[in-house]
Amino acid sequence: MENTYTVRVYLYYSYYRRAKLFRYNKELKEWKERGTGDVRFLQHKETKKVRLLMRRDKTHKVCANHLIDSSMKLSPNVGSDRSWVWNVTADISDGKPEAETLAIRFANSDNANLFKEKFEEMQKINEDISNKKEKDAKN
């Protein structure tokens, strides 16, 4: 009988913060809570692409899982200096890729601003990887 092993292919970045995640329900035109937990950035060991992963406290169910794309723009949430809103083309937290509008809220504005800095840093990493692949493909 053959043994099957799960290989961990992602490396954690040192950044993680506790936050509350929401998704916008277009049909009901309201925000729905997705969960509270630690938001993390993970980098694939081989491709080096970075994704955002967030799991709910206690149940550890995934509530956000998507690649960070250079087209994503963090916008301040109306009326709050500690939350951000962005659009995702393919969040796979529910098993299948879906376009979502997500919002994340932190305990204070310092954590929110640190998240924005790290998010933009991860966008730059993914953009550099994509540009390098395109350049290599042309040569």
Side-chain angles (χ1 to χ4, degrees):
M1 189 165 163
E2 197 173 304
N3 290 330
T4 307
Y5 297 98
T6 302
V7 178
R8 293 187 182 252
V9 292
Y10 286 98
L11 299 171
Y12 284 102
Y13 269 91
S14 60
Y15 175 85
Y16 69 93
R17 289 287 183 271
R18 187 168 169 75
K20 188 174 279 193
L21 188 75
F22 301 86
R23 83 174 168 78
Y24 189 73
N25 186 320
K26 293 174 186 169
E27 295 169 4
L28 300 175
K29 298 185 179 182
E30 65 183 11
W31 290 98
K32 295 285 188 176
E33 186 176 334
R34 261 262 171 97
T36 301
D38 290 335
V39 60
R40 301 173 186 265
F41 295 109
L42 293 98
Q43 186 175 43
H44 195 276
K45 286 182 180 179
E46 294 173 10
T47 66
K48 304 296 184 201
K49 291 237 176 189
V50 181
R51 64 187 317 106
L52 181 143
L53 178 75
M54 185 170 172
R55 291 184 180 273
R56 294 180 186 151
D57 288 340
K58 297 179 185 171
T59 64
H60 300 289
K61 183 177 177 188
V62 175
C63 56
N65 184 8
H66 60 81
L67 281 174
I68 298 175
D69 191 335
S70 60
S71 66
M72 294 176 185
K73 301 293 178 223
L74 287 181
S75 305
N77 200 355
V78 178
S80 179
D81 65 342
R82 56 189 183 115
S83 63
W84 299 103
V85 177
W86 72 100
N87 291 314
V88 178
T89 54
D91 182 73
I92 56 172
S93 58
D94 291 332
K96 59 181 181 176
E98 289 187 43
E100 299 274 6
T101 300
L102 300 175
I104 193 164
R105 187 175 67 209
F106 294 90
N108 57 49
S109 60
D110 292 338
N111 285 347
N113 290 330
L114 182 60
F115 172 78
K116 183 175 188 201
E117 288 173 21
K118 290 294 182 182
F119 190 93
E120 291 171 347
E121 182 182 324
M122 301 305 134
Q123 282 181 309
K124 179 82 171 104
I125 289 170
N126 282 351
E127 186 176 13
D128 290 347
I129 291 167
S130 295
N131 290 342
K132 185 179 184 299
K133 282 186 180 178
E134 288 175 12
K135 188 177 178 182
D136 290 346
K138 289 179 182 177
N139 293 333

